[in-house]
Amino acid sequence: MNGPDQLHAPILCSDCGIYQLCLPTGIGQADIELLDKIVKNRRIFKRGEYLYRLGHPFHSVYALRSGSVKTYVLMDDGRVQITGFHIAGELLGLNAVNTRVYSCEARALETTSVCEIPFDRLEELGQQVPSLQYQMLRVMSQEIAYNQELMLLLGKKNADERLATYLIGLSSRFAKRSYSSTEFNLSMSRSDIGNYLGMAEETVCRVLARFEQEGLISMQRRLVRLKDIEKLTAVAQGGGKAESPSPAVGKRPQSPVSSRNKQVG
Amino acid sequence: MNGPDQLHAPILCSDCGIYQLCLPTGIGQADIELLDKIVKNRRIFKRGEYLYRLGHPFHSVYALRSGSVKTYVLMDDGRVQITGFHIAGELLGLNAVNTRVYSCEARALETTSVCEIPFDRLEELGQQVPSLQYQMLRVMSQEIAYNQELMLLLGKKNADERLATYLIGLSSRFAKRSYSSTEFNLSMSRSDIGNYLGMAEETVCRVLARFEQEGLISMQRRLVRLKDIEKLTAVAQGGGKAESPSPAVGKRPQSPVSSRNKQVG
DNA sequence: CATGCTAGTTGACCCAAATCAATTTTGCAA
DNA sequence: TTGCAAAATTGATTTGGGTCAACTAGCATG
């Protein structure tokens, strides 16, 4: 998605520049070597190729080394909801543990390098390395938290808030991986962005264009530059509408966000 | 929410009528007794009371014995998105494993009986009982799958489809617990339903009223009866609009579901 | 360097559902 | 039993963003 393409994947986990992302704290050198033994293989997926598909039997989880991937769920009639965009250091596929069948699809957005890890081997290893077990719980727990944020966005935010939230979110994910947090390349299309955020791609274009007019960002094609992160954050939180600073007497507050959907009961 | 109120909670997991729901297959009698030792206490929450609140330190997970609970996430300005309604046999709180802080709130919808289980004890026990570890992964994996379905609903379904999906979903959850799948009591308000489904409570009322007119359901207050599950299922899938069976020549298809948001790229 | 082809953009129009408003019904506490 | 607040319903009106349509910009390919 961003940063240098690392297409020459190293052979060992211990040589891998991102293993501290997919397997943070608490795993010793010896354990890393164990892990290295079970990683099935490093594979390259090209744009549009599937890491896994809906309904296929669950056998492996995938650690992203470089590139980016979208995951999405499907309806019978062909409608699609993208549930996430994933970049280097993220682990995919654990959501199939329960049913033993993938409940969504994962597709590369660009050339993407991954480690495929057979789940049953990973589970065995987990029994010897408690911190690895814990790590799996953490990864899933984090995914749940992300998904909850997305539900909040889909259920309660307007178009401006959605886009602003999206940009801010990308920015901080890049920052975490020490890429630029103010200038980056989108690997997904406008249409994918719209699908993910629950809006039409035309609306994505229009809102981005307005953000540019207002000096919040600049865009050319898929390159974004965030020019006013502070204001963008405010918009994401719903503070972009400039609440009338001194509400005239007799004038109903007419808050930009209705009291509906706020906590009451 | 439904079924007999089981307010006299038994003292032991092995006596508990629902332990096979919160801890399915693969746990032996001896392990159950171990588990029983670490369950901190059985508690009763009354309507409106919190099991846990946003930002509070994570210490326990909660197994629901009876009653029902809503979980929801919050925005700074007070907006709320309900992320789930939970009934007997479900396990809450595992989504705080990663940050060690609850990322959402859980609040009883009615008088609700729960087992509180300290997470660190549960984790220790998990190292002795691998199937318990696996069970935790399963529970979280299932929650992710549920959440993905909800994202699909929030992002891509219209009001009719949302309500139909909701009713069908409740029905099959009750069936799994061998309650009636065609007649049940809602423990949540219209407003909560609307919030959960991403629509105004007025719309919930209107759509329910129309479903009743059309003979799909009957409702009085919070008691629902599903009268035509088959058709309801069709509506949930987007098939309620009766695609014109023989499209006249020259008449644009005007499909009830646009080709947008379907899989293309 | 035409020729597509895909992705992105912009304008005009429309509609599903939100909002606003007015009642009605219900559950409970005094 | 009465009184009230919360919950639910129903109607009128508005609107944010979807849909349709036309067009442009990049970019690959023969």
Side-chain angles (χ1 to χ4, degrees):
Chain A
M1 184 182 259
N2 208 33
D5 256 61
Q6 194 72 23
L7 292 186
H8 304 287
I11 310 294
L12 299 170
C13 282
S14 47
D15 290 340
C16 167
I18 66 154
Y19 82 89
Q20 68 270 34
L21 286 174
C22 63
L23 295 165
T25 51
I27 300 195
Q29 184 62 31
D31 294 332
I32 296 260
E33 282 166 18
L34 279 175
L35 177 64
D36 194 74
K37 286 216 182 69
I38 72 164
V39 171
K40 195 171 166 189
N41 51 11
R42 279 82 179 173
R43 295 178 58 185
I44 304 284
F45 291 91
K46 290 212 282 273
R47 177 180 146 77
E49 290 179 342
Y50 296 94
L51 281 70
Y52 50 82
R53 301 206 61 172
L54 179 69
H56 283 195
F58 170 59
H59 41 75
S60 297
V61 298
Y62 298 86
L64 300 195
R65 297 186 36 69
S66 70
S68 54
V69 168
K70 65 175 170 182
T71 48
Y72 54 88
V73 288
L74 300 152
M75 267 175 79
D76 294 342
D77 66 2
R79 270 177 282 179
V80 167
Q81 172 69 42
I82 295 177
T83 53
F85 298 113
H86 309 274
I87 60 180
E90 299 185 348
L91 196 61
L92 296 185
L94 271 175
N95 55 53
V97 169
N98 181 43
T99 57
R100 290 294 173 160
V101 152
Y102 293 105
S103 60
C104 64
E105 313 209 311
R107 208 169 173 190
L109 287 167
E110 61 191 315
T111 301
T112 293
S113 161
V114 312
C115 294
E116 184 178 352
I117 308 165
F119 181 68
D120 46 7
R121 316 272 321 260
L122 185 59
E123 223 189 342
E124 285 167 28
L125 184 58
Q127 282 163 37
Q128 300 161 47
V129 186
S131 64
L132 185 59
Q133 277 286 3
Y134 182 58
Q135 184 57 21
M136 284 194 277
L137 289 180
R138 277 190 39 157
V139 167
M140 297 183 81
S141 157
Q142 187 176 49
E143 179 162 350
I144 291 172
Y146 276 143
N147 288 346
Q148 287 177 340
E149 286 307 306
L150 185 54
M151 288 185 259
L152 179 61
L153 178 147
L154 290 172
K156 298 291 171 295
K157 293 189 178 181
N158 67 24
D160 286 20
E161 292 162 357
R162 291 178 194 211
L163 247 324
T165 304
Y166 182 65
L167 293 172
I168 295 293
L170 280 181
S171 166
S172 60
R173 281 163 78 192
F174 284 132
K176 221 173 284 174
R177 287 163 177 74
S178 50
Y179 295 138
S180 168
S181 67
T182 55
E183 187 162 352
F184 44 85
N185 240 85
L186 303 174
S187 59
M188 70 295 292
S189 67
R190 298 285 191 271
S191 156
D192 277 350
I193 295 173
N195 182 296
Y196 176 65
L197 298 177
M199 55 205 262
E201 67 176 303
E202 292 94 327
T203 308
V204 173
C205 281
R206 277 186 264 260
V207 173
L208 288 179
R210 188 156 36 74
F211 281 180
E212 186 154 26
Q213 275 182 4
E214 293 168 350
L216 299 181
I217 64 171
S218 64
M219 294 215 59
Q220 49 191 45
R221 201 137 177 90
R222 293 190 175 182
L223 180 69
V224 203
R225 226 178 79 75
L226 308 188
K227 295 169 74 177
D228 190 342
I229 291 196
E230 193 172 349
K231 198 175 285 182
L232 214 47
T233 306
V235 173
Q237 247 76 58
K241 260 283 159 68
E243 318 233 356
S244 47
S246 55
V249 212
K251 185 194 164 205
R252 226 178 345 96
Q254 184 67 309
S255 138
V257 171
S258 90
S259 65
R260 314 171 81 85
N261 292 323
K262 297 202 178 177
Q263 187 73 319
V264 278
Chain B
M1 179 186 264
N2 207 35
D5 254 62
Q6 194 72 22
L7 291 185
H8 304 288
I11 310 295
L12 299 171
C13 282
S14 46
D15 291 339
C16 167
I18 66 153
Y19 83 88
Q20 68 270 37
L21 283 174
C22 64
L23 294 166
T25 52
I27 299 195
Q29 183 62 33
D31 294 333
I32 295 262
E33 282 167 19
L34 279 176
L35 177 64
D36 195 75
K37 286 215 182 70
I38 72 165
V39 172
K40 196 170 166 188
N41 50 13
R42 277 81 176 174
R43 293 178 59 186
I44 304 284
F45 291 92
K46 289 212 281 272
R47 176 179 146 77
E49 289 180 343
Y50 295 93
L51 280 70
Y52 49 81
R53 301 207 62 172
L54 179 70
H56 284 193
F58 171 60
H59 41 76
S60 296
V61 298
Y62 299 86
L64 301 195
R65 297 186 36 71
S66 70
S68 55
V69 168
K70 66 175 170 183
T71 48
Y72 53 88
V73 287
L74 300 152
M75 267 175 78
D76 295 341
D77 66 2
R79 270 177 282 179
V80 166
Q81 172 68 40
I82 295 177
T83 52
F85 299 113
H86 308 274
I87 61 180
E90 298 186 348
L91 196 61
L92 295 185
L94 271 175
N95 55 53
V97 169
N98 181 43
T99 57
R100 291 295 173 156
V101 151
Y102 293 105
S103 61
C104 65
E105 313 209 311
R107 207 169 172 190
L109 286 167
E110 61 190 316
T111 301
T112 293
S113 162
V114 311
C115 294
E116 184 177 353
I117 308 165
F119 180 70
D120 45 8
R121 314 275 318 262
L122 185 60
E123 222 188 343
E124 285 167 28
L125 184 57
Q127 280 162 38
Q128 300 161 48
V129 186
S131 63
L132 185 61
Q133 277 285 3
Y134 181 60
Q135 184 57 21
M136 283 195 276
L137 289 180
R138 280 190 37 158
V139 167
M140 297 182 82
S141 158
Q142 186 175 49
E143 179 161 351
I144 292 172
Y146 276 143
N147 289 346
Q148 286 176 340
E149 286 307 305
L150 184 55
M151 288 185 257
L152 179 61
L153 179 148
L154 290 172
K156 298 293 172 291
K157 293 189 177 180
N158 67 25
D160 286 20
E161 291 162 356
R162 291 179 194 211
L163 246 326
T165 304
Y166 182 65
L167 293 173
I168 294 293
L170 279 181
S171 167
S172 60
R173 282 164 77 193
F174 283 132
K176 219 174 287 174
R177 287 164 178 73
S178 50
Y179 295 139
S180 168
S181 67
T182 56
E183 187 162 352
F184 44 84
N185 239 84
L186 303 174
S187 59
M188 70 295 290
S189 67
R190 298 285 191 271
S191 156
D192 276 351
I193 296 172
N195 182 297
Y196 176 65
L197 298 177
M199 55 205 262
E201 66 176 305
E202 293 93 328
T203 307
V204 174
C205 281
R206 277 186 264 261
V207 173
L208 288 179
R210 187 155 37 74
F211 281 180
E212 186 154 26
Q213 274 182 5
E214 293 168 350
L216 298 182
I217 64 172
S218 65
M219 295 215 58
Q220 50 190 41
R221 195 121 184 106
R222 293 191 175 183
L223 179 69
V224 203
R225 225 177 81 75
L226 307 189
K227 295 169 74 177
D228 190 341
I229 291 195
E230 193 173 348
K231 198 175 284 182
L232 214 46
T233 307
V235 173
Q237 247 77 56
K241 261 283 159 72
E243 317 235 355
S244 47
S246 55
V249 214
K251 187 194 165 206
R252 224 180 343 96
Q254 185 67 305
S255 138
V257 171
S258 91
S259 66
R260 315 170 80 87
N261 291 324
K262 297 201 179 177
Q263 187 72 322
V264 278

